[in-house]
C-alpha cells in the first residue's frame, strides 16, 4: 500500500471545497439552498471593509465653464467591516476500525479507505461551515445532540441580533413569530407582513434585486396557501421539480438547514424564520492563501498515515467569517431562540 502523504494548497482547497459551496442556485438542476446568495470575499486575511454590493451612485455633475473633470469611483467599500477567524478540522481513523462487518471484504483494497474517509471528512466540514454561516455564535454551548456545529464562528443571525440591539435595524422591521405548527394562512401572512415593512430604499429596489429567505415551514405553508386559494398556477418549478415560489414578484427562497437547527434551539418545538433583504446582502469571508506553513510549503488540507498509531490522519485549516453589507435594509421575523 502506498502511504504517501496527500497535501492540498490553500488555493486548491478553496477551489475544491469553498467555492463549490457557493455555486449557482440550481447547478445541474439541483436546488442547493440559499448559500449561492452569499457574496464571497476570498481575500480577507484578518479584517477589512465589506465590498459595496450595490455599487456607487450620485456620480452625475453639472458641466461648468472650466476644463476640470471630477472622476468619481463606481466601486467602493462599504462602511462596515468583516473579520475572519482561523479554524480547523481534524479526524483520525484506523483501517481496523473501518473494515468491520460487511466491509471486511474490502480489507485487501485498502486505497478505498482513504477515499471514503476523505469524502466523509470534506462533507462534514461543508456541513459545519454551512450551519455556522447562519447560526454560528461563539458564545453558544455545544449542541447537546451532537448533530450540529454552531459555535465555531459568528453567523448571520448573530449579526442581525447585534444590529437589532444597537437600533441599526428599526424596531418596526422586526417581529417574533410564535413557535409551533403554522397554517397556510400563516405562511401568507408572514410574507405579507415582511413585504409591508420594507424601508423606503428596499421598497423601491427592483423585485429581482430582493428575495425572501425563509424556513421550510413558511415555504411549505405559503405553497399550500397558493394551492388552496387557486393560485397553484403561480407555482413555478426548478428542473428537478422542486417548487419555485414568488410573493408579489419577489423570489421566496427556502434554506433547508434552518428548520432542524431552529427546532433544537427552540427546545424541540417548531420554529420559523423569514428575512426579506437585498440579494447578496449576506457576506462570507475567507482567505484562499491561508494554511499551515510546513517544510514543504503552505498546506490547507493534509492526509497522511501515522505508523506510530497505525491510523490515517486528516486535517484542514482555513479562515472564515460572515457579515451583512446593509443590515438596515432588511425585514426580519423569527421565532425567538
Amino acid at each position: 500500500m502506498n502511504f504517501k502523504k496527500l497535501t492540498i494548497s490553500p488555493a486548491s482547497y478553496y477551489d475544491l471545497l469553498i467555492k463549490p459551496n457557493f455555486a449557482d442556485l440550481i447547478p445541474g438542476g439541483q436546488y442547493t439552498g440559499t448559500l449561492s446568495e452569499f457574496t464571497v470575499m476570498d481575500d480577507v486575511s484578518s479584517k477589512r471593509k465589506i465590498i459595496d454590493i450595490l455599487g456607487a451612485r450620485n456620480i452625475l455633475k453639472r458641466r461648468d465653464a472650466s476644463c476640470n473633470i471630477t472622476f468619481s469611483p463606481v466601486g467602493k467599500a462599504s462602511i462596515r467591516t468583516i473579520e475572519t477567524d482561523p479554524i480547523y478540522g481534524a479526524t483520525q481513523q484506523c483501517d481496523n476500525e473501518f473494515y468491520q462487518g460487511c466491509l471486511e471484504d474490502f480489507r485487501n483494497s485498502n486505497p478505498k479507505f482513504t477515499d471514503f474517509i476523505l469524502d466523509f471528512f470534506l462533507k462534514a466540514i461543508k456541513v459545519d461551515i454551512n450551519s455556522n454561516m447562519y447560526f454560528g455564535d461563539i458564545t453558544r454551548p455545544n449542541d447537546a445532540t451532537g448533530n450540529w456545529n454552531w459555535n465555531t464562528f459568528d453567523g448571520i443571525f448573530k449579526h442581525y441580533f447585534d444590529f437589532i440591539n444597537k437600533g441599526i435595524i428599526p424596531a418596526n422591521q422586526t417581529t417574533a413569530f410564535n413557535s409551533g405548527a403554522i397554517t397556510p394562512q400563516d405562511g401568507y401572512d408572514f410574507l405579507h407582513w415582511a413585504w409591508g415593512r420594507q424601508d423606503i430604499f428596499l421598497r423601491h429596489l427592483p423585485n429581482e434585486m430582493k428575495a425572501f429567505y425563509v424556513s421550510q415551514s413558511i415555504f411549505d405553508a405559503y405553497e399550500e396557501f397558493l394551492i388552496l386559494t387557486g393560485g397553484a398556477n403561480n407555482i413555478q418549478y426548478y428542473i428537478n421539480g422542486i417548487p419555485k415560489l414568488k410573493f408579489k414578484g419577489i423570489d421566496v427562497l427556502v434554506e433547508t438547514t434552518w428548520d432542524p437547527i431552529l427546532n433544537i434551539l427552540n427546545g424541540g418545538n417548531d420554529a420559523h424564520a423569514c428575512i426579506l433583504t437585498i440579494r447578496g446582502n449576506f457576506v462570507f469571508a475567507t482567505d484562499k492563501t491561508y494554511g499551515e506553513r510546513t517544510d514543504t510549503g503552505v498546506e490547507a488540507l493534509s492526509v497522511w498515515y501515522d505508523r506510530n498509531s497505525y491510523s490515517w490522519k486528516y486535517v484542514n485549516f482555513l479562515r472564515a467569517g460572515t457579515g451583512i453589507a446593509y443590515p438596515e435594509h432588511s425585514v426580519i421575523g423569527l421565532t425567538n431562540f
Side-chain angles (χ1 to χ4, degrees), residues 177-182 266 269-272 335:
F177 294 149
N178 293 330
S179 62
I182 60 175
N266 195 41
N269 300 308
D270 290 342
H272 322 286
T335 306

Coordinates of all heavy atoms in Angstrom, one line a residue, residues 177-182 266 269-272 335:
F177 N -42.1 35.5 15.7 CA -43.1 34.6 15.3 C -43.3 33.6 16.4 O -42.4 33.2 17.1 CB -42.6 33.8 14.1 CG -42.5 34.6 12.8 CD1 -41.6 34.2 11.8 CD2 -43.3 35.7 12.6 CE1 -41.4 34.9 10.7 CE2 -43.2 36.4 11.4 CZ -42.3 36.0 10.4
N178 N -44.6 33.2 16.6 CA -44.9 32.1 17.6 C -44.3 30.8 17.1 O -44.2 30.6 15.9 CB -46.4 32.0 17.8 CG -47.0 33.2 18.4 OD1 -46.4 33.9 19.2 ND2 -48.3 33.5 18.1
S179 N -44.0 30.0 18.1 CA -43.5 28.6 17.7 C -44.7 27.7 17.6 O -45.8 28.0 17.8 CB -42.6 28.1 18.8 OG -43.3 28.0 20.1
G180 N -44.4 26.5 17.0 CA -45.5 25.5 16.8 C -45.8 25.5 15.3 O -45.3 26.2 14.5
A181 N -46.8 24.6 15.0 CA -47.2 24.4 13.7 C -47.9 25.7 13.1 O -48.5 26.4 13.9 CB -48.2 23.2 13.6
I182 N -47.7 25.9 11.8 CA -48.4 27.1 11.2 C -49.3 26.7 10.1 O -49.2 25.6 9.5 CB -47.3 28.1 10.7 CG1 -46.5 27.4 9.6 CG2 -46.5 28.7 11.8 CD1 -45.5 28.4 8.9
N266 N -35.0 25.9 19.8 CA -36.3 26.3 20.4 C -36.9 25.2 21.3 O -38.1 25.1 21.4 CB -37.3 26.6 19.3 CG -38.5 27.4 19.8 OD1 -38.4 28.2 20.6 ND2 -39.7 27.0 19.3
N269 N -39.3 22.5 19.7 CA -40.6 22.9 19.1 C -40.3 23.6 17.7 O -39.3 24.1 17.5 CB -41.2 24.0 20.0 CG -41.6 23.5 21.4 OD1 -42.2 22.4 21.5 ND2 -41.1 24.2 22.4
D270 N -41.3 23.5 16.8 CA -41.2 24.1 15.5 C -41.0 25.6 15.6 O -41.6 26.3 16.5 CB -42.5 23.9 14.7 CG -42.7 22.4 14.3 OD1 -41.7 21.6 14.4 OD2 -43.8 22.0 14.0
A271 N -40.0 26.0 14.9 CA -39.7 27.5 14.9 C -39.6 27.9 13.4 O -39.4 27.1 12.5 CB -38.3 27.7 15.6
H272 N -39.7 29.2 13.2 CA -39.8 29.8 11.9 C -39.0 31.0 11.7 O -38.7 31.8 12.7 CB -41.3 30.1 11.6 CG -42.2 29.1 12.1 ND1 -42.4 27.8 11.6 CD2 -43.0 29.1 13.3 CE1 -43.2 27.1 12.3 NE2 -43.6 27.9 13.3
T335 N -38.9 33.1 15.1 CA -39.2 32.6 16.5 C -38.0 32.8 17.4 O -36.8 32.5 17.0 CB -39.5 31.1 16.5 OG1 -40.6 30.9 15.5 CG2 -40.0 30.6 17.8

